[in-house]
Amino acid sequence: MTTRTFDLPDLGEGLTEAEVVKWLVAVGDTVTLDQPVAEVETAKSLVEVPSPFAGTVSVLHGQEGEVMAVGKPLISVRTETAPATGTPEAGAPAAESVTADADGERYREEERAGSGNVLIGYGTPESTGTGRRRRPRHRPPSRGAQSPAPVASVTPIQAAPARRAPLVTSPLVRQLAREAGLRVADIQGSGPGGLITRRDVRSAIEAAGANTAPAPSAPVAVPSQTDPVTAPAPVAPGAVDTRTGLTESQRVPMGTFRRAVAASLSRSRAEIPEATVWVDVDATELVRLRQSDPEGPGLLAYVARFVLAGLRAYPELNGLVDTEREELVQYDGVNLGLAVQTDRGLVAPAVMGAHRLTTGELDTEIRELTRLAREGRATPVQLTGGTFTLNNYGALRVDGSAAIINHPQVAILGLGRIIDRPWVVDGELTVRSVTQLSFAFDHRVCDGGAAAGFMRVVADAMESPARAIARL
């Protein structure tokens, strides 16, 4: 028996730490290759970490709720040393015939490769194989979640394989390739020994003519409301603040999520010269349209449809500012971000390819995405791929907000609550369902005229939805 220790890997984007949200195994449990052993929360998302070793769990090197540094021991597994040469013993799973020394060396090689490289299905092709699949956990899988790749038989190290299996990298990298319709087996790796990195996948996507959106630094996923998350212990109070003369009641360390939010919002305020415009909208006809078909799309789906129309008319608002090349970038499609308030904070996952969806399809995707975000199950791609954000803060029963733009996006539209207000129609005072739109935009990409034009497209459609839908 040999004890092998798996260090916490870099889960992408050069992150330096992660919080152990939940252990999926216990000491004494038997684990298989690529079986998830822990859920960890980074500044970007909630990630299941798979084991690179098969064997028996001997040590869990952290407590739930503990923040661990990348490169520090995560889990130790007792493994049976596999034969160094020859074929697997009769009845032994083919995937476990790789020698323990080879597993350890491959793991260390990938760790040396740096950001974005996490061992999962290492050395196994995406093509069909004869091995086993990962056991499903006792909960419904999230939409867009990564499906485990089949584990194929491994040729002994001394034998020269007819076709070299790809060095598969992190869950984020594998998912990025899958959602772009690419197979990792077809991607040339630039890392050590042909290791496939996130940069390689993006290069392959660009070469294939696919459209990708750069990842903003703000949105992060959160754990499920049912996940047992242990809050950091507050620092003992009692110190007197010299500025106020008051005794501090408590000090609570900022967690991974809150530090990421603080850094992102600070960056947005520091880099983006934003301006805000707003307009009151008579949404009476839109409310009537919604009430006329209780089984049809919700109000937010209609507003999202009108936002897409506005972005089609003013595409400069659906892009970013490339400061290094001094260029204004526009996309030919929209990944519509939706601000979602959760128990752990605000996230902004995106409906990917929203411009291709009907209003009914938008409604379905919005509801599903909101559910996933509140459960902490939105994918990293959804959380980082938005090109424009819609913020329905009316759900919080407020009328307006000067929202902060989700860097590196260049605009965000806010929708306030819809309430009955006195309104003048054809010279007569009446009661109408009124809401307020507030729009923050990056003044580097356009001036107030374009921002006002975009607002009128959305507002006019909300006031006359039947006519707007007919044109769409």
Side-chain angles (χ1 to χ4, degrees):
M1 299 290 288
T2 301
T3 298
R4 300 201 171 276
T5 297
F6 178 39
D7 295 340
L8 178 66
D10 180 351
L11 297 167
E13 302 290 345
L15 300 172
T16 60
E17 64 183 18
E19 178 182 337
V20 178
V21 175
K22 180 194 295 184
W23 284 108
L24 306 179
V25 296
V27 173
D29 286 357
T30 299
V31 295
T32 58
L33 186 69
D34 285 350
Q35 178 181 334
V37 294
E39 283 184 351
V40 300
E41 181 189 12
T42 72
K44 297 290 182 184
S45 62
L46 190 72
V47 178
E48 288 187 348
V49 179
S51 171
F53 310 124
T56 303
V57 177
S58 59
V59 182
L60 302 179
H61 293 277
Q63 302 294 324
E64 292 183 352
E66 180 179 346
V67 176
M68 303 182 65
V70 168
K72 295 298 183 181
L74 178 66
I75 187 172
S76 293
V77 178
R78 288 195 302 272
T79 65
E80 292 189 12
T81 303
T85 60
T87 58
E89 297 178 2
E96 295 179 8
S97 64
V98 177
T99 66
D101 289 342
D103 277 340
E105 178 57 30
R106 287 176 175 175
Y107 161 59
R108 288 189 293 272
E109 180 184 65
E110 183 157 12
E111 283 302 284
R112 288 196 297 268
S115 176
N117 303 320
V118 181
L119 187 69
I120 179 167
Y122 199 98
T124 59
E126 282 203 336
S127 58
T128 57
T130 59
R132 61 186 179 277
R133 287 183 179 269
R134 188 169 74 186
R135 291 198 189 112
R137 295 180 55 206
H138 299 293
R139 64 179 182 192
S142 58
R143 284 176 60 94
Q146 172 188 322
S147 297
V151 180
S153 298
V154 181
T155 304
I157 293 174
Q158 284 73 10
R163 182 175 183 272
R164 183 180 183 279
L167 303 189
V168 184
T169 55
S170 75
L172 308 187
V173 174
R174 185 187 289 274
Q175 186 172 42
L176 182 64
R178 179 176 291 110
E179 293 189 352
L182 301 177
R183 297 172 63 250
V184 294
D186 298 330
I187 299 175
Q188 183 66 39
S190 62
L195 191 70
I196 300 171
T197 65
R198 187 180 290 193
R199 184 181 296 107
D200 297 326
V201 177
R202 285 177 174 156
S203 297
I205 293 173
E206 292 175 0
N211 297 311
T212 58
S217 56
V220 290
V222 295
S224 165
Q225 297 175 14
T226 60
D227 285 346
V229 178
T230 303
V235 176
V240 176
D241 179 66
T242 57
R243 183 182 65 86
T244 63
L246 300 176
T247 301
E248 296 177 355
S249 61
Q250 68 173 352
R251 281 176 172 251
V252 179
M254 294 176 68
T256 303
F257 179 95
R258 187 49 54 188
R259 290 200 305 272
V261 170
S264 177
L265 298 182
S266 297
R267 182 178 183 184
S268 179
R269 281 298 196 203
E271 294 185 13
I272 299 177
E274 65 183 42
T276 302
V277 294
W278 56 91
V279 64
D280 289 335
V281 179
D282 179 1
T284 304
E285 295 303 318
L286 181 59
V287 172
R288 287 174 179 169
L289 176 63
R290 174 68 180 95
Q291 293 173 342
S292 69
D293 184 10
E295 301 300 321
L299 289 174
L300 191 59
Y302 284 112
V303 175
R305 167 58 57 200
F306 303 149
V307 166
L308 294 172
L311 293 176
R312 186 162 58 247
Y314 296 92
E316 59 268 40
L317 297 171
N318 182 51
L320 62 80
V321 178
D322 187 336
T323 55
E324 292 185 1
R325 301 179 60 175
E326 296 184 334
E327 295 174 342
L328 302 180
V329 180
Q330 296 180 15
Y331 304 117
D332 64 358
V334 181
N335 294 339
L336 184 62
L338 300 169
V340 180
Q341 188 68 46
T342 73
D343 284 350
R344 293 289 295 274
L346 184 68
V347 295
V351 175
M352 310 300 287
H355 59 288
R356 295 190 293 264
L357 304 180
T358 65
T359 305
E361 291 170 338
L362 276 172
D363 183 70
T364 299
E365 291 297 319
I366 288 172
R367 294 177 188 276
E368 177 67 5
L369 188 63
T370 300
R371 180 186 68 81
L372 293 175
R374 286 175 176 160
E375 293 176 357
R377 304 302 171 198
T379 69
V381 172
Q382 291 170 325
L383 289 164
T384 62
T387 63
F388 182 96
T389 298
L390 173 60
N391 186 357
N392 179 24
Y393 45 73
L396 303 177
R397 302 177 64 187
V398 296
D399 298 325
S401 169
I404 299 178
I405 297 172
N406 185 10
H407 184 280
Q409 298 173 23
V410 296
I412 181 171
L413 177 67
L415 173 67
R417 61 177 176 167
I418 300 177
I419 59 175
D420 289 342
R421 288 183 179 176
W423 198 262
V424 176
V425 178
D426 297 329
E428 298 291 333
L429 186 64
T430 185
V431 176
R432 306 287 283 184
S433 298
V434 178
T435 186
Q436 183 183 93
L437 297 178
S438 59
F439 182 57
F441 65 97
D442 188 333
H443 227 315
R444 296 174 296 180
V445 303
C446 70
D447 295 322
F454 168 82
M455 288 280 279
R456 284 315 324 170
V457 169
V458 179
D460 292 347
M462 292 178 64
E463 292 183 338
S464 302
R467 180 166 47 183
I469 292 173
R471 290 198 302 267
L472 293 175

